[in-house]
């Protein structure tokens, strides 16, 4: 696919006319699955890593136990007519910045990144547009997405998850504190151990929370949807569950 895109660009450069967007080039869609992976390692000072991405699918995973550097694998595919197509990665301080640079009369670009995080680093992810998946992060994790789903597996630290347009699906191994907010998309949270606090707030979508069976102080409500609470309730309990939706069902279920 990349080679075909390059042939199209070279051919267009020979034409002495004006290239009109949508003139047939849109049939050659960019896909990161067609691209060869590129690897690079970065040194990050301190105990925190921020990943700042604009248009990319992100996978954040725990690195091997003895790894001390952040390893990034990138898949990028794209073409541009009357401009340029490329991607960049850079670290400044504790921030890893991932960008696509695609400009022209007609462009088609796509990227995905896998970031391997050394154990012991807490992580903040800021993504403008794209799905975010995090696996095996044992430290505190914050993920915010403007447009895309957020998926978390085997988390061990405090979670703060938000998306303006997308679902949130988190399954934790030992997180004591979980916060999830979505404006448009379902929220599904499951705690592997008894949490101290879970708070899920949704503007437009369902909320489901699965927790170990024990008494909780529960605050659950929905303006337009059913509310189903299956865990023991105790207003004096130290452990709290908050589940609210403006437009969608709310369900709190026990397991174990």
């Amino acid at each position: 696919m990349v080679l075909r895109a390059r042939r199209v660009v070279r051919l267009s450069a020979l034409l002495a006319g004006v290239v009109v967007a949508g003139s047939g080039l849109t049939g050659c869609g960019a896909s990161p699955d067609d691209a060869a992976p590129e690897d690079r390692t970065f040194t990050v000072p301190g105990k925190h890593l921020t990943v700042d991405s604009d248009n990319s699918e992100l996978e954040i995973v725990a690195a091997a136990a003895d790894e001390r550097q952040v390893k990034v694998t990138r898949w990028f595919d794209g073409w541009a007519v009357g401009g340029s197509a490329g991607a960049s990665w850079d670290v400044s301080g504790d921030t890893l910045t991932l960008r696509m640079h695609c400009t022209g009369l007609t462009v088609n670009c796509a990227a995905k990144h896998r970031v391997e995080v050394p154990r012991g680093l807490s992580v903040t992810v800021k993504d403008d547009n794209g799905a975010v998946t995090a696996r095996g992060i044992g430290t505190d994790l914050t993920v915010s997405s403007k447009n895309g789903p957020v998926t978390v597996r085997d988390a061990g630290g405090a979670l703060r998850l938000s998306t303006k347009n997308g679902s949130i699906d988190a399954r934790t191994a030992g997180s004591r504190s979980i916060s999830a907010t979505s404006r448009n998309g379902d929220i599904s949270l499951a705690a592997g151990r008894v949490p101290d606090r879970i708070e899920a707030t949704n503007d437009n979508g369902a909320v489901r929370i699965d927790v170990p069976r024990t008494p909780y102080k529960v605050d659950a409500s929905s303006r337009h949807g059913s509310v189903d609470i299956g865990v023991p309730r105790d207003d004096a309990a130290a452990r709290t569950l908050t589940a609210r939706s403006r437009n969608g069902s709310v369900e709190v279920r026990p397991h174990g």
Side-chain angles (χ1 to χ4, degrees):
M1 183 65 71
V2 176
L3 294 177
R4 181 182 174 189
R6 289 174 178 170
R7 286 197 296 270
V8 171
V9 172
R10 286 199 295 266
L11 178 59
S12 299
L14 297 175
L15 300 179
V18 176
V19 179
V20 179
S23 62
L25 294 178
T26 55
C28 184
S31 170
D33 295 330
D34 295 334
E38 304 171 80
D39 295 326
R40 188 171 175 184
T41 58
F42 299 91
T43 299
V44 176
K47 295 294 184 179
H48 184 76
L49 171 68
T50 297
V51 181
D52 184 352
S53 175
D54 58 355
N55 287 288
S56 175
E57 177 183 340
L58 294 180
E59 183 182 13
I60 314 296
V61 300
D66 59 346
E67 184 59 58
R68 294 294 179 265
Q69 289 186 307
V70 177
K71 179 181 177 182
V72 183
T73 304
R74 177 177 68 194
W75 294 263
F76 171 79
D77 185 26
W79 52 263
V81 175
S84 62
S88 65
W89 43 15
D90 183 56
V91 163
S92 177
D94 66 357
T95 300
L96 168 66
T97 302
L98 308 173
R99 290 289 183 268
M100 283 202 307
H101 307 281
C102 297
T103 61
L105 296 174
T106 304
V107 298
N108 199 325
C109 296
K112 65 179 181 181
H113 293 81
R114 176 185 173 94
V115 181
E116 299 178 36
V117 181
R119 298 175 189 274
L121 289 184
S122 59
V123 182
T124 296
V125 179
K126 302 176 181 179
D127 191 44
D128 277 353
N129 185 38
V132 179
T133 300
R135 302 181 186 277
I137 303 300
T139 53
D140 293 351
L141 173 65
T142 299
V143 179
S144 60
S145 174
K146 289 185 178 179
N147 185 37
V150 175
T151 303
V152 176
R153 294 291 182 268
D154 300 324
L159 293 181
R160 291 174 291 274
L161 313 174
S162 65
T163 178
K164 291 185 177 180
N165 186 34
S167 62
I168 295 175
D169 184 356
R171 302 286 182 267
T172 73
S175 298
R176 293 288 193 177
S177 176
I178 305 171
S179 172
T181 304
S182 176
R183 290 187 181 179
N184 186 37
D186 293 343
I187 296 176
S188 178
L189 308 175
R193 62 187 297 182
V194 176
D196 295 328
R197 168 185 168 271
I198 293 182
E199 182 173 355
T201 306
N202 206 338
D203 281 351
N204 187 36
V207 173
R208 178 181 174 120
I209 299 175
D210 291 270
V211 289
R213 183 183 293 276
T214 194
Y216 298 90
K217 182 178 181 180
V218 180
D219 177 3
S221 63
S222 175
R223 290 187 182 181
H224 303 284
S226 61
V227 177
D228 182 7
I229 309 302
V231 298
R233 304 182 71 160
D234 181 356
D235 288 343
R239 301 179 178 96
T240 62
L241 301 178
T242 302
R244 298 175 182 151
S245 177
R246 290 186 179 182
N247 186 34
S249 62
V250 170
E251 185 178 11
V252 180
R253 308 302 302 170
H255 65 78

